[in-house]
Amino acid sequence: MRVIAGKWGGRRIRAPRGSAVRPTTDRVRESWMAALGPKLIDAEVVDLFAGSGALGLEALSRGANSCVFVEQARGALTVLNENIEGLDAAEQSTVLRRDALAYVRNLAPSTFDLAVADPPYDRGLAAELLALFAKNPFADELWVEHRASEDIPEYPGMKQRTYGDITLTLVEK
């Protein structure tokens, strides 16, 4: 896995091991970040269900000011911290070992400019995260990756982009 573009473009990052891990593909991450474009500049970002941190690190590489990485799995946290150190991104990064849904329940509205999330598939976590955002928009925009076949309720202004069997859902506050 690698950082696609920006100041760390082309640099390699590690992914956690295990069958439960499903990192966002380079193609999807590239399209995702291109869609965000200039919104990343100086943005305060939260990467929920961070895993390797690929989404948040890509955002930092492309000009985000800071990123809070929220992850609870011990193995993923080890790899996430190694990736942050390997890119010398510690100054811009905060790593929290927490359940992502519990974390966002306690956020004030508009805490972040941008929230990105790649929750585990087929557990209803994407739909639950979107429902929490609808009640309390903790960021100006929430982007969630999920399986294209997952049942996601409609929200006002919701936009979706599908790449094969993966869909990115965007909801703005």
Side-chain angles (χ1 to χ4, degrees):
M1 218 165 55
R2 63 186 176 90
V3 176
I4 305 294
K7 66 184 175 184
W8 301 315
R11 300 267 305 268
R12 295 233 172 251
I13 56 175
R14 292 186 45 226
R17 294 181 190 263
S19 60
V21 177
R22 178 208 29 80
T24 302
T25 66
D26 285 358
R27 177 179 165 250
V28 172
R29 201 163 9 100
E30 184 172 15
S31 297
W32 194 341
M33 294 299 144
L36 289 168
K39 294 177 187 177
L40 289 170
I41 305 301
D42 296 327
E44 304 295 328
V45 178
V46 62
D47 183 350
L48 303 166
F49 306 95
S52 67
L55 294 173
L57 292 168
E58 191 76 47
L60 289 172
S61 183
R62 294 176 185 233
N65 186 51
S66 67
C67 186
V68 174
F69 296 89
V70 183
E71 176 58 58
Q72 67 178 359
R74 184 174 318 208
L77 284 164
T78 298
V79 171
L80 170 60
N81 283 308
E82 288 172 3
N83 287 338
I84 289 169
E85 290 300 319
L87 294 174
D88 197 26
E91 193 172 297
Q92 297 173 275
S93 303
T94 302
V95 177
L96 302 176
R97 183 178 186 189
R98 300 219 177 106
D99 174 84
L101 297 176
Y103 175 72
V104 300
R105 281 186 186 99
N106 296 312
L107 291 176
S110 297
T111 299
F112 296 97
D113 299 312
L114 174 65
V116 294
D118 182 9
Y121 284 5
D122 304 322
R123 296 186 192 171
L125 297 172
E128 189 174 349
L129 179 59
L130 288 160
L132 288 169
F133 185 81
K135 291 178 186 172
N136 174 29
F138 50 85
D140 294 341
E141 291 186 7
L142 169 63
W143 289 73
V144 182
E145 177 183 333
H146 55 89
R147 191 180 306 278
S149 61
E150 188 170 345
D151 187 27
I152 299 292
E154 286 287 323
Y155 293 97
M158 184 171 89
K159 298 174 188 164
Q160 293 185 311
R161 296 168 184 244
T162 300
Y163 307 89
D165 68 342
I166 296 170
T167 294
L168 299 179
T169 295
L170 162 65
V171 180
E172 298 174 290
K173 81 171 186 176

